Amino acid sequence: MVKRSHYEVLGVSNDASLEVIKRRYKELALQHHPDKVSEKAESSSTPSSVAFQRISLAYSTLKDPQTRIKYDEQLRSKQTASGPVHEQVDLDDMKYDESSATFSYGCRCGGEYLVTEDDLSSGVQMVGCDSCSLTIHVLYEAAISEDEAS
């Protein structure tokens, strides 16, 4: 079983607002609360009580700004430090999404390597696949601002 992030459990993006997280939590809590689920609906591979516990844990972690920051740091370090290096990829070869300020590169498993501009500015060079244990080394040169150059 692949361990899913709290964001994946709630079905929200990593940069989702607290309002979006809260709304999604309420929707999922109503769907999976053990008191609300009939026995016939329990035929899925994940019993509602287990799903509800995962949903509750995800929400309790992401609703508090300080806990969320710590969780995001742990998640980022797992994604950037684990697994064998599959290849070296130049930043120019990665797709860029302006709306999320995120670079992406496809993995051979079908997953993606994702790195944000903030990650790059903080020195991240190793990026883990979101679906398997492979890691890439992102090649780039840090831009020097005019203030730093003088």
Side-chain angles (χ1 to χ4, degrees), residues 20-39:
V20 169
I21 291 170
K22 184 183 280 187
R23 185 175 343 111
R24 188 65 181 142
Y25 165 73
K26 288 180 179 181
E27 291 170 4
L28 291 171
L30 285 173
Q31 285 178 359
H32 296 281
H33 194 283
D35 293 342
K36 302 280 185 187
V37 178
S38 68
E39 289 181 25

Side-chain angles (χ1 to χ4, degrees), residues 91-97 100-105 112-117 120 127 138:
L91 190 61
D92 293 335
D93 294 332
M94 298 179 80
K95 291 180 187 172
Y96 182 68
D97 178 18
S100 63
T102 302
F103 293 89
S104 65
Y105 187 78
E112 279 191 305
Y113 300 99
L114 301 170
V115 62
T116 65
E117 287 183 353
L120 296 172
V127 179
V138 180

Side-chain angles (χ1 to χ4, degrees), residues 66-79:
Q66 294 302 319
T67 307
R68 184 175 179 178
I69 289 169
K70 288 179 185 175
Y71 176 75
D72 287 346
E73 288 171 358
Q74 291 173 348
L75 192 61
R76 194 174 302 117
S77 72
K78 284 180 187 175
Q79 290 176 337

